Amino acid sequence: TLTGEGIAYIYPDFVTALVGSFTDGVMESGQEAVIIGSVEDEAGIKVPVFSEPNGHFHTRQQRDQFGLDPNVRDPYESKMVEVRTSAIDGANEGLFAKVDIEVNTTIAFYNGSQARPEDYDPDTWETNNYKIFDPADIPAGTIDIPAWAQSPTAYCGSLAHKTNHSFIPNGQFVVFDHPKFGLIPCIATIADIQHGEEIMVGYGYDMEAAPDWYKTAWKNSHFGQEGLDYKDWLECNIKNPLATNRR
């Protein structure tokens, strides 16, 4: 079993890593490192060689521990994306590529707290803007970003919640087993993305319950103008709807 010290979790770029203490394959605590080379063991298997681990100790967090180190960036995500002002009307902030990114690349993570029913107001979308399905608690679970953490100056431990909507997205929500946050949604690219380009996902709302801006955006979109049935677009474009468990 993967238990002990000096064990590494390697991110999808096969360069960035967290090295530290693991129990049965689950990270307890780790520091950032990068792969600087490799050696062959006695069986001829290549073993990665890491730089000296340094910096913040990233510790495993449960949903009820959200925000323990709110301004510590994920070492992989911080290389891929950043929050900037969006050019989309009414969007305020958005998520942008820091580097050129190829299709089928994991780029951002959606960590949060467990949504509380008492925070839900059925008469407004203001209390629902950041809710998303919880892959660790299917089908009823919902992840939320509390009001205090919705500004990137207050919380930037993960940034996928800053992604805006498009009916022609370049990313989609899928599931990721994160060394620090556990099983959470993440964004994976569905197209090549250039440095400086905004990351966009399809929210996949239920149209009957969707906010007014979403209904207007569909009506004004190329698909809406062409008379495409929204359910057909949804089936073809959305793998994991943002709104699966918003209530």
Side-chain angles (χ1 to χ4, degrees):
T1 61
L2 292 175
T3 298
E5 301 293 329
I7 298 174
Y9 173 90
I10 301 173
Y11 281 91
D13 61 355
F14 299 107
V15 174
T16 311
L18 290 175
V19 179
S21 174
F22 284 66
T23 300
D24 293 331
V26 176
M27 188 185 78
E28 300 292 340
S29 177
Q31 289 178 287
E32 299 173 25
V34 295
I35 294 176
I36 56 176
S38 64
V39 296
E40 287 191 4
D41 65 11
E42 295 179 352
I45 298 174
K46 285 192 173 183
V47 179
V49 176
F50 299 94
S51 64
E52 186 68 24
N54 66 89
H56 180 80
F57 280 91
H58 297 263
T59 57
R60 184 78 171 194
Q61 296 180 10
Q62 305 300 320
R63 291 280 183 268
D64 59 0
Q65 296 174 306
F66 174 75
L68 285 181
D69 45 6
N71 291 308
V72 177
R73 293 292 311 274
D74 178 87
Y76 172 79
E77 184 187 67
S78 64
K79 296 178 180 180
M80 307 298 289
V81 297
E82 63 183 349
V83 175
R84 288 167 37 190
T85 301
S86 175
I88 300 173
D89 289 342
N92 194 7
E93 297 165 334
L95 200 63
F96 291 79
K98 292 180 69 173
V99 294
D100 292 337
I101 304 172
E102 294 183 349
V103 66
N104 296 325
T105 301
T106 299
I107 57 173
F109 307 113
Y110 206 124
N111 185 43
S113 61
Q114 185 175 4
R116 303 189 310 168
E118 59 266 33
D119 292 335
Y120 172 66
D121 182 352
D123 297 323
T124 177
W125 272 83
E126 292 302 314
T127 58
N128 293 293
N129 288 335
Y130 289 100
K131 288 185 172 65
I132 192 171
F133 68 97
D134 184 351
D137 188 18
I138 294 293
T142 304
I143 291 173
D144 194 14
I145 307 295
W148 71 263
Q150 292 172 9
S151 166
T153 58
Y155 174 76
C156 58
S158 59
L159 293 175
H161 61 282
K162 285 299 179 182
T163 310
N164 287 313
H165 164 78
S166 174
F167 288 112
I168 310 177
N170 54 20
Q172 67 176 351
F173 287 113
V174 292
V175 177
F176 192 90
D177 193 356
H178 193 277
K180 183 175 181 178
F181 306 130
L183 205 61
I184 55 171
C186 77
I187 296 174
T189 58
I190 57 174
D192 291 338
I193 299 175
Q194 294 183 342
H195 176 207
E197 186 177 348
E198 184 165 5
I199 312 300
M200 311 289 285
V201 296
Y203 283 1
Y205 291 152
D206 179 340
M207 189 59 78
E208 292 184 3
D212 290 341
W213 69 262
Y214 189 83
K215 295 177 181 178
T216 300
W218 171 255
K219 181 179 179 180
N220 295 334
S221 71
H222 168 75
F223 305 108
Q225 294 290 320
E226 291 293 319
L228 179 71
D229 187 276
Y230 176 71
K231 292 182 179 178
D232 290 338
W233 175 87
L234 201 64
E235 184 176 341
C236 293
N237 289 275
I238 305 301
K239 185 174 183 178
N240 289 300
L242 181 67
T244 296
N245 299 302
R246 295 181 69 86
R247 298 191 179 188

